[in-house]
Each structure stands twice: as C-alpha cells, then as structure tokens.
Amino acid sequence: PIRDIQYLGVMNNRMIIAYRGSGSIFIKEYGALKKYGDTNWMQQDRKYGNNDCWYAEFPLVPLPAKIKILGNTLAYSGNQSQRKTSRGVVDYVEIGSGGEVVLQNKNNN
C-alpha cells in the first residue's frame, strides 16, 4: 500500500513528492495535474538520493498553496491489477511562496 507520503520541495520548477509502496498519488485540488514521466527511478535516485522510496514530480502550482496529496493502492488479483482502490493515505501540505514546507500533516488511514 501507499504510505509515508512526504512533500520534499521544489526543484527545477517541479514539486517533488516522495512515497513508499506501489500505486498512484495525485493532488486533490489539481486533479487534472499529471505527474511528469520523463525520468526513471535511477535518474530520480541520482537527483534526490536513494532513500528506499519512489518519487513523483508534478508541475508547480501557484504558490503559496495548500494542497492535499492522496495515495491510492490498486488491488491486485492474480496477474491482473483491479481498478478498486484500497484505503488511501492523505497528506496535507501548506507550501510557502518559495516552495518550502510551512506545515505538513499526515493522515494515514
């Protein structure tokens, strides 16, 4: 399951979010915002460090901002992933005008 979501900050006009587990994460207030897919896990580990986690890079939203990061784990059945999601993880983040974390609250369901 998705767990340990952490907003890391802004780098190269991208919001960097780290998380553990398999599944997907998205930003609730910007549901149409898609994460960048132009780097693989090896390139991300070189950029952000090998911290035994996955990284998601999202386009920068207007700052300052308050966002809710949601994590959903896809159920797995045999050799097929099901579209039914398990209980998600929510991380509330208040981001300052420079992209820094002002406040981060975790709500692991």
Side-chain angles (χ1 to χ4, degrees):
I2 295 287
R3 62 195 184 283
D4 301 333
I5 295 174
Q6 183 176 3
Y7 171 84
L8 299 178
V10 175
M11 180 184 277
N12 297 326
N13 286 324
R14 296 177 182 213
M15 294 187 302
I16 311 304
I17 299 168
Y19 63 98
R20 290 194 164 95
S22 60
S24 61
I25 63 171
F26 64 96
I27 298 172
K28 183 175 181 180
E29 294 80 5
Y30 299 91
L33 200 62
K34 303 293 182 202
K35 50 182 204 173
Y36 288 110
D38 59 350
T39 57
N40 63 36
W41 67 269
M42 291 180 287
Q43 293 166 321
Q44 290 177 343
D45 279 356
R46 279 195 297 274
K47 282 198 279 188
Y48 312 122
N50 183 358
N51 297 309
D52 194 29
C53 64
W54 297 99
Y55 297 99
E57 301 172 332
F58 285 93
L60 191 58
V61 299
L63 299 176
K66 292 181 182 178
I67 62 171
K68 187 184 300 183
I69 304 167
L70 302 173
N72 285 318
T73 302
L74 290 178
Y76 183 77
S77 173
N79 61 0
Q80 292 182 317
S81 291
Q82 305 294 314
R83 295 306 294 166
K84 180 181 175 187
T85 58
S86 69
R87 296 179 76 186
V89 176
V90 181
D91 195 23
Y92 302 93
V93 184
E94 186 174 341
I95 306 167
S97 59
E100 74 282 1
V101 175
V102 174
L103 178 68
Q104 187 160 218
N105 291 319
K106 297 187 182 314
N107 179 15
N108 294 320
N109 291 335

